[in-house]
Amino acid sequence: MKMRYDVTVTVRGEQEYEDMGRDHTELAVDGVFADAPEGWTLSYDEQETRTVFTIGTQRVVLRRSGALKSEMVFEAGKTHTTVYEMPFGALPMEVSTDSIRQKLSERGGILEIRYRITVGEQVRSKNICKVQVKRKV
């Protein structure tokens, strides 16, 4: 039986741009955390965009739908091509995953993905995505 949990999700993104230095973003929202055949799913809404993580032991897929559309696949040591669709156009890019670290259970936990984004043969940013999941009581 599929278990679903109401959770608080904190997402911290750290970016290091080739030509602009470092930046970070942080978001805290309510979400839903559920077990799935491949591991876990985590979903939440942010403004006009729905975000769904499908989290396995070796692979994480991040899908966004709504105002922003994308599907990013993260597998340590691998590169995947994707298209990031925004209101003003689409941006093709490659996502190269350096590492995935996750410690998740029915109580929540942490997911950390380190990756690089390449656009047109040039690395544009080095990124760390840290996701903390806390089950609501």
Side-chain angles (χ1 to χ4, degrees):
M1 184 166 96
K2 187 172 182 175
M3 300 299 294
R4 294 172 41 100
Y5 307 100
D6 291 329
V7 294
T8 300
V9 182
T10 304
V11 181
R12 180 179 171 87
E14 299 175 15
Q15 302 84 28
E16 183 179 335
Y17 299 101
E18 290 297 310
D19 53 354
M20 298 188 309
R22 294 177 182 253
D23 190 17
H24 77 276
T25 56
E26 192 157 331
L27 168 74
V29 294
D30 293 332
V32 175
F33 187 57
D35 60 346
E38 57 279 337
W40 300 97
T41 60
L42 173 65
S43 59
Y44 59 86
D45 295 318
E46 173 190 1
Q47 296 173 345
E48 297 175 19
T49 302
R50 177 150 189 83
T51 299
V52 178
F53 284 90
T54 304
I55 306 159
T57 55
Q58 304 293 319
R59 176 182 167 107
V60 175
V61 179
L62 168 60
R63 290 180 183 90
R64 289 195 170 107
S65 59
L68 300 174
K69 293 179 184 157
S70 68
E71 179 176 288
M72 298 170 80
V73 177
F74 302 98
E75 289 181 281
K78 294 188 179 180
T79 298
H80 293 275
T81 302
T82 189
V83 175
Y84 202 83
E85 295 181 35
M86 299 166 280
F88 52 84
L91 178 66
M93 61 186 177
E94 290 184 340
V95 178
S96 301
T97 307
D98 297 314
S99 66
I100 298 172
R101 189 171 61 94
Q102 61 112 331
K103 187 167 181 144
L104 295 165
S105 72
E106 62 277 351
R107 295 183 303 275
I110 294 182
L111 168 67
E112 180 181 284
I113 306 168
R114 293 177 181 261
Y115 63 99
R116 290 167 279 127
I117 292 179
T118 303
V119 178
E121 304 285 322
Q122 184 175 7
V123 175
R124 295 295 181 179
S125 64
K126 296 177 183 173
N127 307 273
I128 303 172
C129 177
K130 297 178 182 177
V131 181
Q132 183 175 28
V133 180
K134 287 188 179 177
R135 195 166 148 188
K136 292 184 178 184
V137 183

